[in-house]
Amino acid sequence: MGPNQKRTTAPRTPPGGATSKENSGAISECYGHPERLRSESSWAHLCGVAPIPASSGKTAGRYRLNRGGDRQANSALWRIVIVRLKSHPATRAYADRRSKEGLPEKEIIRCLKRYVAREVYRQLRAES
Protein backbone atom coordinates (compact mmCIF):
# COMPACT_ATOMS: atom_id res chain seq x y z
CA MET A 1 0.00 0.00 0.00
CA GLY A 2 1.23 3.46 -0.82
CA PRO A 3 1.57 6.21 1.77
CA ASN A 4 -1.58 8.00 0.54
CA GLN A 5 -3.74 4.89 0.28
CA LYS A 6 -5.95 3.60 3.06
CA ARG A 7 -7.04 0.03 3.47
CA THR A 8 -10.76 -0.31 4.10
CA THR A 9 -10.40 -3.57 6.00
CA ALA A 10 -7.60 -5.08 8.05
CA PRO A 11 -5.51 -7.66 6.19
CA ARG A 12 -6.35 -11.22 7.12
CA THR A 13 -3.59 -13.51 8.18
CA PRO A 14 -2.36 -16.28 5.90
CA PRO A 15 -3.96 -19.69 6.47
CA GLY A 16 -2.37 -22.29 8.69
CA GLY A 17 -1.44 -20.11 11.60
CA ALA A 18 2.14 -19.11 12.24
CA THR A 19 1.43 -15.48 11.55
CA SER A 20 2.03 -12.27 13.36
CA LYS A 21 1.36 -8.61 12.69
CA GLU A 22 4.82 -8.31 11.11
CA ASN A 23 4.21 -11.24 8.75
CA SER A 24 0.77 -10.01 7.75
CA GLY A 25 2.04 -6.48 7.29
CA ALA A 26 4.97 -7.52 5.11
CA ILE A 27 2.77 -9.72 2.95
CA SER A 28 -0.04 -7.18 2.53
CA GLU A 29 2.49 -4.41 1.78
CA CYS A 30 4.08 -6.56 -0.91
CA TYR A 31 0.65 -7.32 -2.38
CA GLY A 32 -0.12 -3.55 -2.34
CA HIS A 33 -1.26 -3.17 -5.96
CA PRO A 34 -3.10 -6.36 -6.99
CA GLU A 35 -3.67 -5.14 -10.55
CA ARG A 36 0.03 -5.58 -11.34
CA LEU A 37 -0.12 -9.30 -10.53
CA ARG A 38 -1.36 -11.37 -13.44
CA SER A 39 -0.96 -14.80 -11.87
CA GLU A 40 0.19 -16.79 -8.88
CA SER A 41 3.52 -17.17 -10.62
CA SER A 42 4.06 -13.41 -10.73
CA TRP A 43 3.24 -13.27 -7.00
CA ALA A 44 5.88 -15.96 -6.36
CA HIS A 45 8.47 -13.96 -8.31
CA LEU A 46 7.53 -10.80 -6.42
CA CYS A 47 8.03 -12.61 -3.08
CA GLY A 48 11.26 -14.26 -4.25
CA VAL A 49 10.03 -17.84 -3.90
CA ALA A 50 9.75 -18.83 -7.56
CA PRO A 51 12.09 -21.70 -8.46
CA ILE A 52 14.97 -20.83 -10.79
CA PRO A 53 16.47 -23.60 -12.96
CA ALA A 54 20.03 -24.38 -11.90
CA SER A 55 21.08 -26.95 -14.45
CA SER A 56 24.46 -26.77 -16.11
CA GLY A 57 23.33 -28.87 -19.02
CA LYS A 58 24.43 -32.14 -17.49
CA THR A 59 21.70 -32.26 -14.85
CA ALA A 60 18.02 -31.64 -15.34
CA GLY A 61 15.26 -30.87 -12.89
CA ARG A 62 17.40 -28.98 -10.36
CA TYR A 63 16.30 -25.63 -9.00
CA ARG A 64 17.97 -23.08 -6.81
CA LEU A 65 16.74 -20.48 -4.36
CA ASN A 66 15.65 -17.17 -5.80
CA ARG A 67 17.67 -14.29 -4.32
CA GLY A 68 15.45 -11.58 -5.81
CA GLY A 69 12.05 -10.22 -4.95
CA ASP A 70 10.71 -8.48 -1.88
CA ARG A 71 12.96 -9.51 1.01
CA GLN A 72 10.41 -8.66 3.72
CA ALA A 73 7.72 -10.83 2.11
CA ASN A 74 10.24 -13.62 1.57
CA SER A 75 11.29 -13.39 5.21
CA ALA A 76 7.65 -13.49 6.34
CA LEU A 77 7.05 -16.64 4.28
CA TRP A 78 10.20 -18.18 5.74
CA ARG A 79 8.98 -17.49 9.30
CA ILE A 80 5.61 -19.05 8.51
CA VAL A 81 7.30 -22.17 7.10
CA ILE A 82 9.67 -22.54 10.07
CA VAL A 83 6.81 -22.33 12.59
CA ARG A 84 4.75 -24.78 10.52
CA LEU A 85 7.67 -27.22 10.49
CA LYS A 86 7.63 -27.22 14.27
CA SER A 87 3.89 -27.27 14.92
CA HIS A 88 1.89 -28.36 11.84
CA PRO A 89 1.70 -32.19 11.54
CA ALA A 90 1.04 -32.25 7.78
CA THR A 91 4.02 -29.98 7.09
CA ARG A 92 6.21 -32.06 9.36
CA ALA A 93 5.14 -35.25 7.55
CA TYR A 94 5.91 -33.63 4.17
CA ALA A 95 9.37 -32.58 5.36
CA ASP A 96 10.10 -36.06 6.71
CA ARG A 97 9.00 -37.69 3.46
CA ARG A 98 11.10 -35.33 1.34
CA SER A 99 14.18 -35.77 3.52
CA LYS A 100 13.86 -39.55 3.14
CA GLU A 101 13.86 -38.94 -0.63
CA GLY A 102 17.26 -37.27 -0.20
CA LEU A 103 16.35 -33.59 -0.45
CA PRO A 104 18.41 -31.21 1.68
CA GLU A 105 16.63 -29.02 4.23
CA LYS A 106 17.14 -25.85 2.16
CA GLU A 107 15.37 -27.45 -0.78
CA ILE A 108 12.47 -28.61 1.42
CA ILE A 109 12.06 -25.10 2.83
CA ARG A 110 12.14 -23.66 -0.72
CA CYS A 111 9.30 -25.99 -1.74
CA LEU A 112 7.29 -25.15 1.37
CA LYS A 113 7.73 -21.40 0.87
CA ARG A 114 6.32 -21.73 -2.62
CA TYR A 115 3.37 -23.70 -1.26
CA VAL A 116 2.66 -21.10 1.43
CA ALA A 117 2.97 -18.30 -1.16
CA ARG A 118 0.34 -20.10 -3.26
CA GLU A 119 -2.03 -20.29 -0.26
CA VAL A 120 -1.48 -16.64 0.63
CA TYR A 121 -2.05 -15.53 -2.97
CA ARG A 122 -5.37 -17.35 -3.17
CA GLN A 123 -6.52 -15.80 0.09
CA LEU A 124 -5.40 -12.28 -0.89
CA ARG A 125 -7.11 -12.63 -4.29
CA ALA A 126 -10.36 -13.70 -2.63
CA GLU A 127 -10.27 -10.66 -0.35
CA SER A 128 -9.67 -8.09 -3.07
Side-chain angles (χ1 to χ4, degrees):
M1 305 259 348
N4 297 329
Q5 295 176 324
K6 290 188 178 180
R7 195 170 195 45
T8 56
T9 60
R12 289 183 48 195
T13 57
T19 58
S20 66
K21 290 179 184 177
E22 291 82 17
N23 289 351
S24 297
I27 289 170
S28 64
E29 173 129 354
C30 181
Y31 188 69
H33 302 284
E35 63 276 356
R36 70 182 170 165
L37 299 173
R38 294 178 304 242
S39 66
E40 182 268 327
S41 172
S42 62
W43 167 251
H45 277 282
L46 184 64
C47 290
V49 295
I52 297 175
S55 65
S56 62
K58 293 183 177 183
T59 59
R62 285 196 30 88
Y63 295 94
R64 66 178 177 86
L65 294 170
N66 185 352
R67 300 288 181 208
D70 186 307
R71 301 310 302 156
Q72 282 76 30
N74 189 303
S75 179
L77 293 173
W78 180 84
R79 286 188 298 267
I80 292 169
V81 166
I82 294 303
V83 171
R84 279 189 181 188
L85 279 171
K86 295 178 194 277
S87 62
H88 192 248
T91 304
R92 188 70 244 155
Y94 173 82
D96 291 341
R97 181 175 55 86
R98 295 298 291 217
S99 64
K100 286 178 185 172
E101 292 173 4
L103 251 63
E105 188 176 356
K106 272 189 173 182
E107 195 74 13
I108 294 168
I109 290 174
R110 182 193 63 77
C111 294
L112 287 169
K113 280 176 23 180
R114 178 61 192 257
Y115 180 77
V116 170
R118 205 172 284 133
E119 285 183 337
V120 168
Y121 177 76
R122 285 187 199 125
Q123 184 173 3
L124 290 170
R125 251 325 190 208
E127 290 178 7
S128 60

